Amino acid sequence: MSVSIELLDAFKAAQGGISDYRAAKLLGVAQQTITKYKQNIIPMSPEKVLLACEMSGLDAVDWLLALYRERAKCDAEKNLLDSI
């Protein structure tokens, strides 16, 4: 499962189990964008990760590191991010 999907699920749960429609409104994106996150078509932007974390009390550092690790192109970059 992608970081975007996991974070979206955690965000929605922290907001009381809100719908995709409500999550889209809170994050300032179209509902189709939420669908694209869930279908792993596009990842959440770092700005949306920060917003979701801020609004739901999640640890932004952990989520951003996970997002960057998922996007890493080589093992050395992944290992560096794992060490932080």
Side-chain angles (χ1 to χ4, degrees):
M1 183 179 299
S2 78
V3 171
S4 295
I5 295 169
E6 289 180 39
L7 176 55
L8 182 60
D9 288 346
F11 171 72
K12 289 171 51 178
Q15 295 295 321
I18 61 173
S19 67
D20 288 350
Y21 175 81
R22 183 72 182 132
K25 293 297 178 193
L26 289 173
L27 294 173
V29 299
Q31 188 171 356
Q32 294 86 355
T33 301
I34 299 295
T35 300
K36 289 178 181 180
Y37 294 158
K38 291 174 67 175
Q39 293 176 346
N40 208 24
I41 294 170
I42 61 171
M44 290 180 85
S45 68
E47 295 82 11
K48 295 304 176 190
V49 169
L50 290 172
L51 180 59
C53 289
E54 180 181 310
M55 294 177 72
S56 55
L58 299 169
D59 187 337
V61 172
D62 287 344
W63 284 105
L64 278 174
L65 284 172
L67 179 73
Y68 290 136
R69 187 189 188 287
E70 183 176 80
R71 294 179 181 180
K73 302 283 187 222
C74 66
D75 288 338
E77 188 178 2
K78 290 178 184 181
N79 291 337
L80 175 66
L81 290 166
D82 286 343
S83 72
I84 298 175

